[in-house]
Amino acid sequence: MGAVMHQVSEENLNVAHEELAAVLGSDCVLTDGEILREHSSTKWSPAPPNQSPALVVTPGSTSDVSEIMKICSRRQIPITAYSGGTSFAGALTATRRGICIDFQKMDKIVAVHDKDMDVVVQAGVGWQDLNKVLEPRSLFFPPDPGAGARIGGMIAMSCSGTNAYRHGTMKDWVTSMTVVLADGTIVKTRNRPRKSSAGYDLTSLLVGSEGTLGLVTEAVLKITSVPENQHVGLAAFPTTRAAVDAAVVLITGGLPIDALELLDSYSLGAVNSSGLSGRHWKEKPTLFLRFSGSKQAVEDQVSMARQAAMTNKCETFETSGDIDEISAIWGVRKDIARCLAAMKKDPSDLFLSADAAVPISSLADIIDWSLKIIREAGFAGSTVGHVGDGNYHASVVCPKNEEDKAMKIIEEIQRKAIQLEGTITGEHGIGLKWRDLLVEE
């Protein structure tokens, strides 16, 4: 099979514009230059101006998406998809121009089935908005990637977040989905059963396919009960190695806590400098822990965590069950990318990040090694991550003119993860940036 020859001449795109406007309405076909750039280049994943789509379209239904795909298939016009715009790794970059489908209007929660513990949502629903609707029912949807992420992109990238240690990743919470294929064919992968052995598991195949197999327009998602009696813990250590060693003890000991996260000293320095937190943090490698359960269960979890921390040179260990304090403390972990990005000395500086994941026994070694090569290269860098499942992010903020040098460091870290029988991406996806390294993996 030969290479696909895309047809992106002005003439072909102009005719497609007319056909799309006839199907969707002219107000749903956008051509403003700033809008086009915003749909391919973001602060997390910048792209050059010549890699923006020629048109952005805003469908309102699965049938609309099908018609768009039929037009583009017939005219051989490439397509990119956009939901929350929070992805890394160049996933939005329109290298061949073409048309971007923005799911902003497909933001309806179609149904909430309390007794079945599932919901039906369109692709443009945000996970935070979904949880606001579920909260009064004492239910929630666990995957918690970056703020602003939406279900279509979360499925495409197979995301996770701080809840993954206890609740698993996105693939564990998708029951079925409606997908539009490249030729406009509409496929529903399954109905709403909690289990099925009927035919191919198309749902699992599509989660993490990053739009290469089809575009998700609707999904059936599992939900669960809100954890009771939530508490958070903070354990500060003299070194990153000591913090990771303590985390490994907790993991291998089978402690049933909700989340286990790491912020190193540079990260907490970035938090202090950003002013985004209401407290001043000790700039020490710190484990962020979250507990839930009965009063006795939480007391037991805290006791075991404290003991593991203290045997690994923990300097301070504190806990809180205050709702506002829990929100403030965990908010720091959730906002860490924004804090690190705020360390840019110039607006043109770049924020680059690795997303490696390795077997737990290799975690301390690769984090130590990552910090060493970042410092040897003359960069300030940090390691933060979901140490509970072996996934961590080594980050570098650098001037634009040192991008190549910094990217070599990030690539070295990704390759090191492969050598340690890990992966180049635990949750951010491949996008454009990691295609060659995916071949190596």
Side-chain angles (χ1 to χ4, degrees):
M1 181 176 173
V4 175
M5 299 299 293
H6 295 117
Q7 302 296 330
V8 290
S9 66
E10 291 302 319
E11 180 183 3
N12 195 40
L13 289 167
N14 286 338
V15 177
H17 186 164
E18 293 173 3
E19 293 177 347
L20 290 164
V23 171
L24 304 171
S26 58
D27 61 326
C28 295
V29 184
L30 311 176
T31 59
D32 177 79
E34 188 60 31
I35 291 174
L36 300 180
R37 283 189 292 274
E38 289 172 352
H39 281 75
S40 64
S41 181
T42 69
K43 65 179 179 180
W44 306 117
S45 190
N50 65 344
Q51 294 186 353
S52 298
L55 302 170
V56 172
V57 292
T58 56
S61 66
T62 296
S63 60
D64 283 351
V65 177
S66 176
E67 291 303 313
I68 295 166
M69 298 292 262
K70 287 175 183 176
I71 291 170
C72 291
S73 177
R74 186 173 67 251
R75 296 199 162 275
Q76 293 182 284
I77 297 173
I79 291 172
T80 53
Y82 185 101
S83 54
T86 61
S87 62
F88 290 86
L92 303 172
T93 307
T95 56
R96 293 165 177 78
R97 295 188 70 206
I99 289 170
C100 175
I101 300 178
D102 185 337
F103 287 91
Q104 61 177 281
K105 293 181 180 177
M106 296 181 64
D107 61 352
K108 296 178 181 63
I109 298 173
V110 179
V112 178
H113 304 115
D114 299 58
K115 292 181 179 178
D116 297 324
M117 301 290 274
D118 72 37
V119 295
V120 183
V121 300
Q122 290 185 310
V125 171
W127 68 271
Q128 291 157 302
D129 297 326
L130 175 59
N131 277 329
K132 285 177 184 176
V133 172
L134 296 175
E135 187 177 13
R137 306 170 189 240
S138 296
L139 299 171
F140 92 119
F141 175 65
D144 62 332
R150 297 177 183 271
I151 298 301
M154 292 167 65
I155 292 173
M157 308 309 285
S158 191
C159 75
S160 54
T162 65
N163 287 327
Y165 179 57
R166 174 71 175 270
H167 295 286
T169 66
M170 190 70 190
K171 64 181 175 58
D172 300 304
W173 294 90
V174 182
T175 297
S176 65
M177 64 185 86
T178 301
V179 180
V180 181
L181 306 185
D183 64 355
T185 300
I186 299 172
V187 175
K188 187 175 182 181
T189 63
R190 222 179 270 299
N191 288 313
R192 290 196 300 117
R194 278 294 172 123
K195 59 185 288 191
S196 172
S197 59
Y200 295 114
D201 187 357
L202 298 179
T203 303
S204 294
L205 177 66
L206 286 157
V207 175
S209 62
E210 301 192 24
T212 60
L213 302 178
L215 300 185
V216 178
T217 59
E218 191 172 287
V220 178
L221 307 173
K222 301 170 191 174
I223 53 179
T224 190
S225 301
V226 172
E228 64 172 335
N229 189 28
Q230 295 188 59
H231 282 63
V232 293
L234 294 168
F237 295 83
T239 64
T240 300
R241 161 74 67 164
V244 176
D245 286 345
V248 171
V249 171
L250 292 171
I251 296 161
T252 56
L255 182 63
I257 61 177
D258 287 5
L260 180 55
E261 301 286 312
L262 168 70
L263 270 65
D264 68 8
S265 54
Y266 180 86
S267 303
L268 288 169
V271 172
N272 288 334
S273 297
S274 72
L276 295 173
S277 173
R279 65 183 276 179
H280 184 83
W281 292 80
K282 291 181 180 178
E283 295 177 14
K284 296 278 190 175
T286 301
L287 291 180
F288 285 55
L289 306 96
R290 200 168 62 227
F291 313 94
S292 70
S294 67
K295 181 180 178 182
Q296 186 60 53
V298 169
E299 287 178 357
D300 291 344
Q301 291 169 28
V302 169
S303 175
M304 292 172 64
R306 188 189 303 273
Q307 183 178 357
M310 291 304 175
T311 57
N312 283 279
K313 305 175 184 176
C314 177
E315 295 180 345
T316 60
F317 188 98
E318 60 181 287
T319 61
S320 175
D322 179 78
I323 294 175
D324 292 336
E325 196 165 0
I326 290 172
S327 179
I329 289 172
W330 215 254
V332 167
R333 172 60 190 94
K334 294 298 293 179
D335 276 347
I336 189 59
R338 199 153 58 103
C339 295
L340 290 168
M343 297 298 284
K344 294 180 179 180
K345 296 178 181 177
D346 185 272
S348 65
D349 286 353
L350 300 175
F351 173 79
L352 304 176
S353 176
D355 178 40
V358 297
I360 301 299
S361 60
S362 299
L363 189 59
D365 289 337
I366 194 170
I367 287 179
D368 266 357
W369 181 84
S370 299
L371 288 170
K372 178 174 177 287
I373 65 167
I374 289 171
R375 291 188 185 115
E376 287 177 350
F379 293 116
S382 70
T383 50
V384 303
H386 318 297
V387 292
D389 50 22
N391 183 198
Y392 83 106
H393 311 303
S395 303
V396 173
V397 174
C398 70
K400 176 68 178 171
N401 63 7
E402 294 195 86
E403 179 179 7
D404 290 345
K405 179 181 177 182
M407 275 304 302
K408 286 179 181 177
I409 299 298
I410 298 297
E411 288 174 8
E412 280 189 57
I413 292 169
Q414 305 288 66
R415 285 194 171 92
K416 185 71 170 180
I418 298 173
Q419 294 168 12
L420 294 171
E421 299 182 280
T423 178
I424 58 175
T425 176
E427 60 182 3
H428 291 167
I430 297 300
L432 180 67
K433 188 182 293 182
W434 305 123
R435 291 182 303 174
D436 293 343
L437 278 176
L438 176 63
V439 175
E440 291 185 31
E441 181 172 324

